[in-house]
Amino acid sequence: MKELRIRVLAGVFVVAGVLSWAGARLWNSVGTLPSVPLAAPIVLALIAVVLLATALSLRARLKAQRERQPDAKGVDPMMAARAVVFGQASALVAALVAGMYGGTGVFLLESLDIPARRDQAIYAGFSVVAGIGVIAAAIFLERVCKLPDDDEHEGTGAAPTV
């Protein structure tokens, strides 16, 4: 499984932000701008909390397992792999969503004197912060579940030589 790349997430964020900003300008010139839902930052924050709770739980269980505590609950490798995949998918979606709301928020900065647009800009800003929280929690979860490097077989081929 490949690690999350910060560059990829940043690229998704920037591209989505630029496209969202351009789309918001275009949409505003045609009619009204679609609103940023109040639920957006709340849902992103809940996902970040779930990822963080999963990472902390797995970290505690892995630590107890490493220290060979008698009542330590083991970590199922498939469950850990599923958690990492969920974290990676959440980080990619959060980068996309945060970029979209970030671009819309930047567009809305031009009209903060209108109360409705100011509220939308605030919701968009909170969505970006919550999206960054999801990304940070996903990266932490990935680091918790990372296997130590196998130094014994480093540099050797797959097939033994005879």
Side-chain angles (χ1 to χ4, degrees):
M1 189 176 306
K2 289 187 176 184
E3 284 186 25
L4 280 174
R5 301 259 187 235
I6 301 295
R7 265 187 258 148
V8 171
L9 296 173
V12 168
F13 177 82
V14 168
V15 169
V18 169
L19 290 175
S20 178
W21 174 79
R25 285 183 55 114
L26 179 65
W27 197 302
N28 191 51
S29 68
V30 173
T32 61
L33 188 65
S35 65
V36 177
L38 175 61
I42 295 170
V43 170
L44 287 170
L46 286 174
I47 293 170
V49 167
V50 167
L51 287 172
L52 184 61
T54 303
L56 292 174
S57 172
L58 285 173
R59 184 175 72 166
R61 288 171 63 185
L62 287 170
K63 181 181 178 193
Q65 194 174 4
R66 268 193 313 270
E67 294 174 354
R68 298 181 194 267
Q69 294 178 356
D71 59 343
K73 252 177 107 173
V75 176
D76 180 32
M78 283 304 293
M79 194 269 303
R82 287 182 188 121
V84 170
V85 169
F86 173 65
Q88 288 180 343
S90 297
L92 286 168
V93 170
L96 179 67
V97 170
M100 288 173 32
Y101 288 133
T104 303
V106 167
F107 172 76
L108 290 170
L109 290 176
E110 299 171 359
S111 55
L112 289 178
D113 52 334
I114 303 169
R117 295 246 171 144
R118 182 176 47 244
D119 292 344
Q120 296 298 305
I122 291 169
Y123 298 157
F126 282 144
S127 296
V128 170
V129 171
I132 291 170
V134 170
I135 292 168
I139 290 172
F140 179 61
L141 174 63
E142 185 179 62
R143 298 301 186 260
V144 165
C145 293
K146 185 176 180 181
L147 293 173
D149 292 333
D150 190 7
D151 294 331
E152 295 176 10
H153 300 96
E154 199 169 306
T156 60
T161 56
V162 180

